């Protein structure tokens, strides 16, 4: 019996076995055998015990290196070697590298002749020096360098490979099989002169490691903070403390023991009270800064060195804040001021004991709230300035003239923000400093507010940045401590890994990008590739998605735990390619999808993560249905067996497409050509009327919504809509999450803003006769692209902003839905803090329809309709909140057509993270308390 192996090899004089449920099974070459399966290849007449031992060795090899390692022909003993059946992905270099990692350099002899596997890794031109460098890399455990060198052996010479084999970095810097990366490198560097290729690759390596170092630094520093957000608790504690202070001031100034309500109404805070507010804001800011810097130092250098570095700064805080214990709680709970924790840590360090587990146990919980204290102090400074500027000029000027020499002598200045370059915050520092000159020419004063920005910079460093980013012109706090990364243009190669970056460059070349002459850095190389007009042209136009596939958009694949998303245009493919590290946005795929010859799909898991891409094409004739032409996971690796099996079964069940029947010609007498009816003039007839209505709606509610969206975009209001429209779904979701996480805008306010639809309201107020005549107007309430006449309509000045606001509002709602389905903590925290009936109902319908794989809590049992809580509601009430929530839930992303089936099968459910003490009934009551 002939056995066909991977690579087209036919083993006619050998037999192959796999491990079956009841023991060894001989491979017969039948259709039921899995393509690419690992097998033990040996003598046809081998003894049963030898076969069992060989299969045991094969199982150990596959467990350590995956089925890929079996393709390397590893010696399994008794004349057996590992192999793979025909249909395996990749080439021999993938197998050898996987096997070498699984066996370890000390067992490399099991791969056969050393020269043979070196040729498999680096090609026939491999030299002794390359072999020695590869052996050292393997012995050192530098598998990423070995992986990259093997992939680059097709485009680099032997001396260049030696340089690559000397690199050091994490394995995750070069994910995916070497053969896949080799293909990308070949396409990306095809037109690049050979001497320049190594420089580009080494520069890319340094960029990838730098980005990964930044990510690890951020994670390491943020790990010093508590997992549970206590900012709301701190706000409440601070508010009670401030209330106590106000009452104390009132009692002292009025000379009464128990002030009445009338006393409070007549009381006017004296100047001393306002100066005390400023002093305490400064003290809290420097204490929070010290806690943040201590947390960063501990994360970067460990507790012993980190505390030693921070001890002088903590001592300076205590020197500046003699009453540092003010705000301490007697029950040991959270204090109202960060000075308490700074003082307590200083006191323990001053005792001079060793940095042991006991000291670390004392310090650690007092650093976990540094971030939340910083956010609270920033809010406090904003409040104090808002209350005093324009009302207490004398107090501001007097306090602002206070020198900070003693504090700066101990704390120093940040390299990221030297005083010579500080120009203040004009809306605040103007009233504080008057006409004083720039800081570079004099001593620093409290009114310069550099201490305030030091706090925001320290918070930025905790988040892994070098400093906060100035956002002057957008309002307090004037600086962003965690600015999102700049959103790159579609198809810009990402730097998450070498494979991801090179695959992006290869795709640009496939789309017509030309390598720039003389580019010596990776950034210059990819910028040049992306600059061609062919790239922009490739991203225009929609795909002709066949109706049966289009109807399945958003469907769940039974048994696979994934949902299907259909690519509608090349930008969808660009977004997928950026993450997946494949060439699905290449010209071949795009052209076929535009012509409707294939449909391209993304498979998303329950957390909204893209796990595979697939291409499906029609059978012949088309009425027979569909087949899977291609399916691959990230970096073109094979998807899971269960996923692929379930997806193929799902595609097999898709209905086919029947070609339209040709009309039967009729014999009719020739007639006079009718005069062509004049085409309706949509822009001329509808534009002025719709523009007036849209402008009126905009004036009524647009400004308030625009202010909210400006916070989401982190831009001035006049640029917010344009920025948000340019964001892809992933970037917009990240921006919404950041807005909720930082509490820049509460979820309830964001929800209300997304309900502002000036263009939809204007269309509803349009003359019904006009709406009937121009029946394409409802397309304005959907996603672009629009027909040509409608594109002209929305360019009218009176309609452009209302249209953009409607579009952004719908997209932001969809982003909220994506966060809710993945059980994002920002949404859970916001819902638990404050919600409203329409918002809670819409989110609950979304979760019930989506049934995400997250911890869920039942609200209504299956097949029941009465919802617990006060006020009582029922799902079947035609005018009730649940029926009214269905359109909103659809905008969040719910398939509301499945709502009643979901209720019947699983009941009404919400994420368990939304429920605190009191469960659903308490959450429902809070929604109506704010309603």
């Amino acid at each position: 019996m002939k056995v066909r192996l991977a690579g087209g090899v036919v083993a006619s004089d050998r037999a192959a076995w796999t491990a079956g449920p009841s023991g060894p099974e001989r491979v017969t070459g039948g259709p039921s055998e899995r393509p690419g399966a690992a097998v033990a290849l040996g003598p046809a007449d081998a003894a049963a015990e030898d076969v069992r031992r060989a299969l045991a060795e094969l199982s150990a090899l596959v467990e350590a290196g995956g089925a890929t390692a079996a393709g390397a022909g590893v010696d399994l003993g008794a004349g057996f070697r590992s192999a793979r059946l025909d249909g395996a992905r990749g080439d021999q270099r993938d197998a050898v590298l996987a096997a070498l990692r699984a066996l370890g350099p000390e067992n490399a002899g099991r791969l056969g002749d050393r020269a043979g596997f070196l040729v498999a890794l680096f090609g026939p031109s491999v030299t002794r020096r390359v072999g020695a460098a590869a052996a050292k890399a393997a012995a050192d455990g530098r598998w990423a360098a070995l992986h990259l060198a093997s992939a680059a052996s097709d485009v680099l010479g032997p001396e260049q490979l030696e340089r690559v084999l000397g690199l050091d970095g994490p394995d995750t810097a070069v994910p995916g099989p070497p053969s896949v990366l080799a293909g990308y490198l070949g396409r990306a560097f095809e037109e690049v002169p050979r001497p320049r290729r190594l420089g580009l690759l080494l520069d890319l390596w340094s960029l990838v490691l730098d980005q990964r170092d930044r990510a690890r630094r951020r994670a390491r520093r943020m790990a010093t903070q508590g997992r549970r957000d206590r900012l709301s608790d701190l706000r409440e504690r601070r508010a009670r403390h401030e209330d106590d202070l106000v009452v104390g001031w009132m009692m002292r100034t009025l000379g009464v023991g128990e002030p009445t309500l009338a006393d409070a109404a007549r009381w006017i805070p004296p100047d001393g009270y306002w100066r005390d507010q400023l002093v305490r804001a400064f003290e809290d800011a420097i204490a929070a800064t010290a806690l943040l810097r201590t947390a960063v130092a501990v994360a970067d250098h460990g507790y012993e060195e980190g505390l030693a570095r921070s001890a002088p700064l903590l001592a300076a805080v205590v020197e500046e804040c003699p009453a540092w214990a003010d705000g301490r709680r007697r029950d040991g709970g959270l204090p109202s001021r960060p000075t308490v924790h700074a003082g307590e840590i200083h006191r323990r360090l001053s005792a001079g004991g060793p940095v042991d587990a006991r000291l670390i146990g004392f310090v650690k919980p007092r650093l976990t709230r540094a971030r939340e204290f910083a956010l609270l102090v920033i809010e406090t400074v904003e409040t104090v300035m808002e209350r005093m500027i324009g009302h207490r000029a004398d107090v501001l000027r007097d306090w602002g003239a206070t020198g900070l020499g003693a504090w700066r002598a101990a704390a120093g200045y940040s390299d990221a923000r030297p005083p010579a370059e500080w120009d203040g915050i004009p809306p605040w520092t103007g009233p504080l400093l008057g006409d004083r000159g720039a800081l570079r020419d004099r001593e620093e004063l409290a009114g310069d507010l550099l201490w305030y920005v030091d706090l925001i910079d320290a918070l930025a460093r905790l988040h892994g940045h070098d400093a906060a980013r100035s956002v002057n012109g957008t309002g307090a706090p004037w600086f962003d401590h965690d600015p999102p990364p700049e959103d790159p243009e579609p198809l810009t190669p990402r730097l998450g890994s070498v494979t991801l970056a090179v695959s992006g460059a290869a795709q640009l070349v496939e789309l017509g990008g030309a390598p720039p002459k003389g580019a010596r850095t990776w950034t210059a190389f990819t910028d040049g590739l992306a600059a061609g007009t062919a790239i922009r042209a490739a991203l225009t136009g929609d795909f002709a998605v066949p109706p049966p596939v289009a109807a399945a958009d958003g469907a769940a694949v039974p048994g696979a735990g994934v949902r299907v998303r259909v690519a509608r245009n090349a930008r969808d493919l660009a977004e997928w390619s950026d993450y997946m590290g494949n060439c699905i946005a290449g010209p071949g795929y795009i052209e076929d999808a535009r012509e409707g010859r294939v449909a391209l799909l993304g498979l998303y898991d329950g957390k909204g993560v893209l796990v595979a891409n697939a291409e499906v094409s029609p059978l012949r004739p088309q009425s027979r249905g569909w087949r899977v032409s291609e399916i691959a996971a990230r970096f073109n690796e094979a998807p899971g067996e269960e996923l692929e099996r379930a997806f193929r079964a799902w595609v097999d069940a898709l209905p086919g497409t029947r070609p339209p029947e040709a009309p039967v010609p009729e014999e009719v007498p020739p007639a006079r050509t009718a005069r062509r009816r004049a085409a309706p003039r949509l822009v001329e007839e509808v534009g002025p009327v719709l523009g007036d209505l849209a402008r009126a709606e905009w004036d009524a509610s647009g400004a308030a919504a625009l202010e909210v969206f400006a916070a989401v975009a982190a831009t001035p209001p006049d640029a917010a809509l344009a920025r948000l429209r340019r964001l892809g779904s992933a970037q917009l979701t990240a921006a919404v999450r950041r807005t909720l996480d930082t509490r820049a805008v509460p979820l309830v306010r964001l929800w209300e803003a997304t309900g502002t639809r000036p263009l939809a309201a204007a269309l509803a107020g349009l003359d019904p006769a006009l709406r009937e005549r121009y029946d394409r107007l409802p397309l304005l309430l959907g996603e672009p692209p629009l027909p040509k006449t409608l594109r002209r309509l929305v360019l009218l000045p009176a309609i452009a902003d209302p249209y953009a606001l409607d579009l952004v509002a719908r997209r932001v709602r969809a982003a909220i839905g994506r966060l809710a389905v993945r059980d994002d903590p920002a949404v859970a925290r916001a819902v638990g803090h404050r919600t409203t009936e329409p918002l809670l109902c819409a989110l609950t319908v979304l979760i019930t329809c989506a049934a995400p794989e997250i911890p869920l809590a039942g609200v209504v049992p299956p097949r029941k309709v009465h919802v617990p809580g006060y006020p009582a509601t029922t799902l079947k009430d035609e005018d009730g909140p649940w029926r009214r929530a269905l359109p909103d839930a659809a905008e969040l992303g719910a398939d509301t057509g499945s709502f009643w089936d979901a209720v019947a099968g699983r009941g009404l459910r919400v994420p368990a993270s939304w429920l605190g003490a009191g469960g659903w009934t308490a959450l429902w009551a809070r929604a109506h308390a704010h309603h």
Side-chain angles (χ1 to χ4, degrees):
M1 179 69 66
K2 295 182 178 180
V3 179
R4 186 172 293 276
L5 303 176
V9 177
V10 177
S12 57
D13 58 342
R14 310 276 280 174
W17 285 267
T18 60
S22 57
E25 294 181 358
R26 189 158 178 167
V27 175
T28 62
S32 62
E33 280 153 2
R34 183 163 46 88
V39 297
L41 194 68
D45 57 352
E49 185 60 30
D50 289 341
V51 174
R52 280 193 291 271
R53 279 197 295 266
L55 287 175
E57 290 289 339
L58 177 66
S59 296
L61 176 67
V62 171
E63 184 177 356
T68 302
V74 176
D75 184 1
L76 303 176
F80 282 83
R81 285 195 172 273
S82 65
R84 297 186 73 186
L85 296 182
D86 191 27
R89 295 173 184 254
D91 62 18
Q92 193 66 7
R93 83 182 89 196
D94 301 339
V96 170
L97 184 62
L100 187 60
R101 293 193 63 172
L103 299 172
E106 65 278 7
N107 294 313
R110 291 177 62 187
L111 289 170
D113 179 59
R114 182 172 183 269
F117 71 73
L118 286 177
V119 168
L121 284 174
F122 304 111
S125 61
V126 62
T127 63
R128 290 177 179 273
R129 290 169 60 91
V130 169
K136 187 173 190 314
D140 295 343
R142 292 182 288 107
W143 297 106
L146 201 57
H147 186 143
L148 180 57
S150 178
S153 60
D154 296 342
V155 297
L156 299 181
E159 287 110 357
Q160 293 173 316
L161 287 180
E162 291 179 48
R163 293 278 305 278
V164 176
L165 286 165
L167 299 174
D168 191 9
D171 295 351
T172 50
V174 196
S179 61
V180 172
L181 178 55
Y184 295 151
L185 284 167
R187 289 194 289 274
F189 285 167
E190 185 175 6
E191 301 297 327
V192 177
R194 185 173 287 268
R196 287 191 180 160
R197 295 173 181 176
L198 176 63
L200 293 176
L201 201 56
L202 294 179
D203 186 56
L204 170 61
W205 177 264
S206 65
L207 291 174
V208 168
L209 292 191
D210 181 65
Q211 178 159 307
R212 299 177 73 83
D213 286 344
R214 286 176 176 273
R216 286 196 297 270
R217 179 178 66 184
R218 176 189 175 100
R220 186 176 64 245
R221 291 177 178 180
M222 290 300 291
T224 64
Q225 302 303 291
R227 294 184 178 181
R228 179 187 169 195
D229 194 325
R230 300 290 302 276
L231 183 56
S232 59
D233 297 336
L234 284 174
R235 286 195 185 102
E236 293 175 6
R237 178 74 185 96
R238 180 61 175 246
R240 291 194 297 269
H241 181 67
E242 291 296 321
D243 290 347
D244 292 341
L245 291 174
V246 170
V247 172
W249 271 94
M250 189 188 311
M251 293 169 59
R252 289 192 298 274
T253 54
L254 294 179
V256 297
E258 193 69 34
T260 65
L261 185 60
D263 290 334
R266 288 190 293 267
W267 182 64
I268 299 175
D271 288 350
Y273 168 80
W274 294 110
R275 182 178 178 85
D276 181 57
Q277 292 264 302
L278 292 165
V279 170
R280 285 189 298 110
F282 168 75
E283 292 178 347
D284 289 345
I286 63 173
T289 300
L291 292 175
L292 289 168
R293 291 184 180 177
T294 302
V296 168
V298 164
D300 289 352
H301 306 287
Y303 272 91
E304 185 168 3
E305 184 177 348
L307 291 176
R309 288 170 176 253
S310 303
L313 184 63
L314 293 166
V317 169
V318 172
E319 184 68 25
E320 289 286 328
C321 312
W324 59 264
D326 179 34
R328 178 188 291 168
R329 285 184 58 173
R330 294 181 181 178
D331 59 6
L334 284 174
S336 60
R337 302 183 64 191
T339 55
V340 175
H341 281 166
E344 289 173 339
I345 296 173
H346 165 69
R347 186 173 58 188
R348 286 296 294 267
L349 294 180
S350 300
V355 180
D356 52 14
R358 186 173 181 180
L359 177 62
I360 293 172
F362 179 85
V363 171
K364 186 175 181 178
R366 286 162 174 79
L367 295 180
T368 57
R369 301 298 159 202
R371 172 183 173 274
E372 290 149 356
F373 268 123
L375 293 172
L376 178 63
V377 173
I378 291 170
E379 293 175 5
T380 303
V381 173
E382 294 173 21
T383 302
V384 170
M385 291 300 168
E386 182 181 345
R387 289 175 178 172
M388 297 186 67
I389 289 177
H391 305 285
R392 300 285 175 174
D394 293 343
V395 178
L396 283 169
R397 294 281 178 86
D398 179 60
W399 175 80
T402 306
L404 299 182
W407 164 248
R408 284 302 178 191
Y413 289 100
S414 165
D415 293 337
R417 205 173 300 280
E421 299 176 9
W422 176 242
D423 293 324
I425 305 173
W428 287 359
T429 51
L432 283 161
L433 297 175
D435 56 0
R436 285 184 174 86
L439 178 56
R440 68 180 66 90
D441 300 324
R442 56 176 173 78
E443 178 190 1
E444 181 188 358
L445 305 175
D448 286 305
L449 297 182
L450 185 52
W451 52 269
Y452 169 69
V453 186
D454 279 347
L455 169 63
I456 306 177
D457 281 341
L459 187 57
R461 283 191 288 274
L462 182 74
H463 284 81
H465 306 286
D466 294 329
R469 185 177 68 186
S470 172
V471 286
N472 289 334
T474 62
W478 315 106
F479 290 83
D480 189 345
H481 69 271
D482 190 21
E486 294 295 327
D487 298 313
E489 291 297 318
L491 294 178
T492 301
R494 306 299 195 263
L495 296 173
S497 69
V498 171
T499 311
L500 199 61
V502 177
S503 71
Q507 190 151 257
L508 289 174
V509 171
E510 283 197 354
L511 289 171
K517 294 183 178 179
R520 298 186 180 278
T521 66
W522 180 259
T523 302
F525 174 63
T526 54
D527 286 349
L529 287 177
T533 57
I535 307 299
R536 292 189 291 273
L539 296 177
T540 60
D542 287 338
F543 295 160
V545 183
V549 181
D553 196 5
V557 178
V562 298
R563 288 187 177 271
V564 173
R565 177 181 162 192
V566 179
R568 301 288 182 170
N569 50 51
R571 288 186 175 269
D572 287 340
L573 299 186
E575 181 181 324
W576 291 351
S577 175
D578 286 343
Y579 173 73
M580 295 294 283
N582 58 29
C583 287
I584 197 171
Y589 291 106
I590 291 175
E591 182 179 351
D592 286 346
R594 280 183 179 148
E595 297 298 324
R597 291 190 288 268
V598 301
L600 301 170
L601 312 177
L603 307 184
Y604 288 80
D605 66 15
K607 296 181 179 180
V609 176
L610 181 63
V611 296
N613 287 134
E615 176 191 82
V616 298
S617 53
L619 297 170
R620 294 291 180 264
Q622 293 184 11
S623 58
R624 290 177 55 204
W626 300 82
R627 67 182 180 88
V628 178
S629 312
E630 187 178 355
I631 180 171
R634 206 170 186 205
F635 305 116
N636 283 338
E637 293 196 275
E641 293 179 24
E642 293 298 325
L643 169 62
E644 183 171 357
R645 186 181 301 112
F647 177 69
R648 289 183 181 275
W650 179 82
V651 172
D652 289 343
L654 287 177
T657 305
R658 293 188 177 276
E661 297 182 3
V664 179
E666 297 182 4
E667 292 291 335
V668 294
R672 246 172 124 182
T673 304
R675 201 165 168 194
R676 188 170 163 184
R677 184 178 176 185
R681 300 193 306 158
L682 183 148
V683 175
E684 291 76 7
E685 295 186 19
V686 176
V689 181
L690 184 62
D692 291 342
L693 293 171
R695 180 53 61 188
E697 294 290 342
W698 175 274
D699 291 341
S701 57
L706 190 60
E707 181 183 350
V708 172
F709 292 138
V712 177
T715 64
D718 58 357
L721 296 180
R723 175 173 173 76
L724 293 177
R725 286 183 63 179
R726 289 196 300 268
L727 295 181
S729 60
Q731 291 85 5
L732 181 59
T733 303
V736 171
R737 187 195 185 284
R738 173 183 166 277
T739 304
L740 297 177
D741 189 43
T742 60
R743 291 180 173 80
V745 177
L747 177 59
V748 169
R749 190 178 175 199
L750 183 60
W751 177 258
E752 292 169 351
T754 60
T756 303
R757 309 289 173 83
L759 185 59
L763 283 174
L766 202 61
D767 184 353
L770 273 179
R771 293 204 306 270
E772 184 175 353
R773 184 179 185 192
Y774 297 104
D775 57 358
R776 304 185 82 181
L777 285 172
L779 294 177
L780 293 171
L781 305 183
E783 283 292 305
L786 298 173
K788 184 176 180 180
T789 52
L790 293 181
R791 289 202 300 271
R792 290 176 54 209
L793 183 67
V794 298
L795 289 176
L796 296 177
I799 299 177
D801 284 344
Y803 169 74
L805 185 61
D806 277 34
L807 181 63
V808 167
R810 292 194 302 272
R811 290 179 176 177
V812 170
R813 280 206 172 177
I816 294 172
R818 289 190 289 272
L819 291 171
V821 167
R822 70 175 69 156
D823 199 15
D824 192 279
V827 172
R829 185 168 54 247
V831 171
H833 177 66
R834 182 185 176 194
T835 187
T836 61
E837 180 190 88
L839 171 58
L840 183 56
C841 289
L843 287 171
T844 303
V845 171
L846 167 70
I847 297 300
T848 300
C849 293
E853 295 180 359
I854 59 176
L856 297 174
V859 176
V860 175
R863 296 182 296 281
K864 301 295 183 182
V865 296
H866 294 287
V867 183
Y870 181 82
T873 58
T874 175
L875 299 178
K876 285 192 172 295
D877 184 355
E878 294 290 342
D879 298 322
W882 297 102
R883 293 294 183 99
R884 293 195 301 268
L886 292 178
D888 290 337
E891 289 191 337
L892 288 169
D895 176 12
T896 53
S898 66
F899 177 61
W900 297 111
D901 291 339
V903 170
R906 299 182 294 271
L908 197 69
R909 301 188 295 175
V910 296
S913 61
W914 294 3
L915 305 180
W920 167 262
T921 53
L923 180 60
W924 184 249
R926 286 198 299 274
H928 290 82
H930 297 286
H931 189 48

